[in-house]
Amino acid sequence: MGLNTLRAHELRPRLQVGELGAEELTRAVLDHLSATQPAINAFISVDQEGALAQARSVDQRRAQGQPLGPLAGIPVALKDLICVRGGRTTCGSRILKDFVSPYDATVVEHLRRADAVLIGKTNMDEFAMGSSTENSHFGPTRNPRAPDRVPGGSSGGSAAAVAADQTILALGSDTGGSVRQPAGYCGVVGLKPTYGRVSRYGLVAYASSLDQIGPLAKDVQDAALMLQVIAGHDPRDATSVDQPVPDYEAVLTQGVKGLRVGLAREHFGPGLDSEIHQAVQRAASRLEEEGAQLVEVSLPVAGHPDYCIGAYYLIAMAEASANLARYDGVRYGYRAPGSRNLQDLYHQTRSQGFGAEVKRRIMLGTYALSAGYYDAYYLKAQQVRTLIRRDFDQAFAACDVLLSPVAPTTAFRLGEQLEDPLQMYLNDIYTVSVNLAGLPGISVPAGRSTTGLPIGAQLLAAPFREETLLRAAQVLEQTTPLN
Ligand code: GLN
């Protein structure tokens, strides 16, 4: 097996003692990436030269006996809405296709300090709006486990890259499920941290009250390792929380004895694929066999598609319409040629620069915020958001983690849902409430369908209980039969 197929925690000890060089590992990863990129299209840009230079610097410093960071020499891919100084950050959009970021995101600073090797930027739905990575100016990404299927989205490039061993680790962003759902579709681990756990500085905003950066990894331990590096307070993000960062790897051996695992009846209602239903039930039984206690809970608002999908898409689109106002052809990125006046410049730039889904959301979001409709839509959605939070507060009084599906189906075929935005939005039924409530969530592989497609299970916890999530996820991973 090639070096590129190993996990960060397997590579780390070999890199630390110098038995394996960072350059050798980086070359193995980049070679495999170049060979498989045409078929999968997980990357928008690859920084061969830069990555090899970073790897060589790690090797040199090791040879000199200098101390190295916790991810020294480990290749990492970044979703292309995370800013890296001097490199392109496109957000999967024509409007930013030549935008070069003048600074590093805080997570990138953390990765550099950890001596990770940044190999490139991954494909995504334009401005993270989508669930399939088909809304990208750079063409769709394919699911490495089934090339006629989508990898999920919007962090589909990051999930596919990890699943295809084109990188060791990746970062995505999750506004309504964009780390967890593609992880589920591609059979990898995806962790969405508590809102405020990871700095959003240098993350291009989609919906600021929901966005959070999170790791995609080949296993739970690697996700813990990555979270350890990126978590923490950042004065440059006013919503980042000043709370100590626990030792996430240390909790992985604690098991689930005595842990109360909640199953919400609304998460197993109509529309859920029966194979997924069974896989999640089997996951629950395995946790029980390991000493957890199963409890039934109810999420009448947070688990109801009419409320959670409705509130999420209203709030996300309203915030997006404000956040995307900055792309006007004056300050950032693309400027339409030959406009007659300023109004025309805005009009042409935005008409040509944004794709159809982004335009739909800007229009719907602007509508929901407009004077006559604000109370009926935006305000209502915020009220529902409060009820969703209360639902989870009540549930977490009765249990320590919630176990649910990640998505109602396995990965669908490319093109299958593109013409039906509502159908596409409904894929997010189990993930969006988590962002509305600011909770942490993790998606872990829970088996495969009879046709061989990955099935994910989702674990949720109260704010800042990532340790509990990781403990339970580790047990699920270790007890899931390989098939
Ligand atoms: N699919 C959801 C949306 O389109 C979530 C996307 C995300 O988490 N970035 O808004």
Side-chain angles (χ1 to χ4, degrees):
M1 282 217 296
L3 292 168
N4 59 306
T5 65
L6 299 176
R7 285 112 204 255
H9 62 86
E10 295 168 332
L11 291 160
R12 191 175 42 173
R14 296 175 60 182
L15 286 160
Q16 268 165 3
V17 297
E19 174 206 319
L20 170 67
E23 186 178 355
E24 186 187 351
L25 170 62
T26 302
R27 277 193 197 281
V29 165
L30 290 173
D31 286 351
H32 179 71
L33 197 171
S34 325
T36 48
Q37 162 68 8
I40 302 173
N41 197 31
F43 282 80
I44 290 176
S45 57
V46 179
D47 183 13
Q48 295 256 5
E49 293 308 307
L52 288 168
Q54 292 168 58
R56 276 193 289 270
S57 148
V58 168
D59 288 337
Q60 274 159 15
R61 282 179 290 141
R62 182 185 307 101
Q64 292 162 0
Q66 291 184 28
L68 292 167
L71 291 179
I74 304 282
V76 175
L78 303 170
K79 184 175 181 178
D80 206 13
L81 44 36
I82 297 173
C83 289
V84 176
R85 191 191 157 123
R88 278 200 307 158
T89 295
T90 70
C91 296
S93 183
R94 182 178 186 206
I95 214 160
L96 288 180
K97 78 178 177 34
D98 298 315
F99 172 70
V100 173
S101 172
Y103 61 87
D104 275 342
T106 297
V107 291
V108 171
E109 286 182 356
H110 283 310
L111 287 169
R112 290 195 198 282
R113 227 172 284 138
D115 291 313
V117 172
L118 307 179
I119 59 167
K121 309 292 289 290
T122 57
N123 202 1
M124 54 182 285
D125 287 300
E126 186 176 4
F127 286 101
M129 297 176 188
S131 309
S132 67
T133 315
E134 292 169 294
N135 303 330
S136 168
H137 175 67
F138 302 90
T141 297
R142 288 173 185 272
N143 190 319
R145 316 275 192 216
D148 60 330
R149 309 231 166 208
V150 302
S154 62
S155 314
S158 287
V162 171
D165 296 315
Q166 295 179 319
T167 184
I168 306 299
L169 291 166
L171 285 181
S173 67
D174 191 313
T175 303
S178 278
V179 163
R180 291 160 288 152
Q181 182 255 25
Y185 282 6
C186 291
V188 300
V189 174
L191 170 61
K192 179 231 170 259
T194 308
Y195 187 75
R197 178 74 292 184
V198 174
S199 170
R200 293 183 295 109
Y201 180 77
L203 167 72
V204 179
Y206 161 14
S208 309
S209 77
L210 305 160
D211 298 339
Q212 193 64 194
I213 296 172
L216 289 124
K218 294 175 197 177
D219 68 9
V220 174
Q221 188 173 348
D222 271 10
L225 195 68
M226 184 69 140
L227 179 62
Q228 195 76 48
V229 168
I230 61 170
H233 180 237
D234 178 9
R236 291 173 299 187
D237 170 4
T239 62
S240 99
V241 175
D242 195 359
Q243 275 206 21
V245 179
D247 184 341
Y248 293 118
E249 263 187 291
V251 303
L252 292 176
T253 50
Q254 288 179 1
V256 291
K257 246 178 213 89
L259 200 75
R260 297 168 304 163
V261 177
L263 294 159
R265 65 183 76 93
E266 293 81 4
H267 282 160
F268 299 90
L272 175 61
D273 178 281
S274 65
E275 285 195 287
I276 298 181
H277 190 151
Q278 287 159 19
V280 177
Q281 289 293 348
R282 283 197 299 272
S285 308
R286 289 198 302 278
L287 290 174
E288 194 176 26
E289 281 159 25
E290 296 296 317
Q293 181 195 338
L294 301 185
V295 289
E296 197 182 313
V297 298
S298 178
L299 297 169
V301 186
H304 196 299
D306 288 359
Y307 301 131
C308 68
I309 296 280
Y312 169 79
Y313 275 96
L314 267 161
I315 291 169
M317 290 181 192
E319 292 186 19
S321 73
N323 275 326
L324 271 59
R326 71 189 65 160
Y327 307 108
D328 55 8
V330 177
R331 283 170 299 176
Y332 305 98
Y334 179 72
R335 175 179 301 173
S339 15
R340 295 184 308 270
N341 52 45
L342 188 60
Q343 191 60 37
D344 191 44
L345 172 77
Y346 293 156
H347 181 81
Q348 297 296 338
T349 298
R350 289 167 70 82
S351 302
Q352 295 167 24
F354 290 133
E357 181 62 25
V358 172
K359 285 181 191 158
R360 173 170 22 246
R361 295 189 187 202
I362 292 173
M363 286 188 277
L364 288 170
T366 305
Y367 180 83
L369 287 175
S370 58
Y373 299 99
Y374 184 91
D375 289 2
Y377 295 114
Y378 186 72
L379 193 65
K380 254 288 166 0
Q382 292 291 10
Q383 287 164 342
V384 173
R385 185 174 191 171
T386 303
L387 297 178
I388 287 175
R389 269 203 208 105
R390 276 191 207 152
D391 261 13
F392 281 116
D393 285 348
Q394 273 174 13
F396 288 122
C399 65
D400 304 302
V401 292
L402 278 162
L403 175 67
S404 79
V406 179
T409 66
T410 49
F412 45 90
R413 288 198 168 74
L414 274 120
E416 196 177 310
Q417 297 189 7
L418 259 187
E419 303 309 318
D420 188 350
L422 263 184
Q423 185 56 41
M424 190 72 93
Y425 300 166
L426 284 169
N427 290 305
D428 305 336
I429 166 171
Y430 306 119
T431 49
V432 292
S433 292
V434 176
N435 301 72
L436 288 167
L439 310 176
I442 191 168
S443 168
V444 267
R448 283 181 187 255
S449 70
T450 43
T451 54
L453 296 171
I455 294 177
Q458 179 176 234
L459 287 158
L460 309 174
F464 299 99
R465 293 277 187 273
E466 280 84 358
E467 292 156 281
T468 319
L469 277 190
L470 288 162
R471 263 172 71 190
Q474 178 77 354
V475 169
L476 269 190
E477 179 176 278
Q478 286 172 345
T479 56
T480 299
L482 301 166
N483 62 347

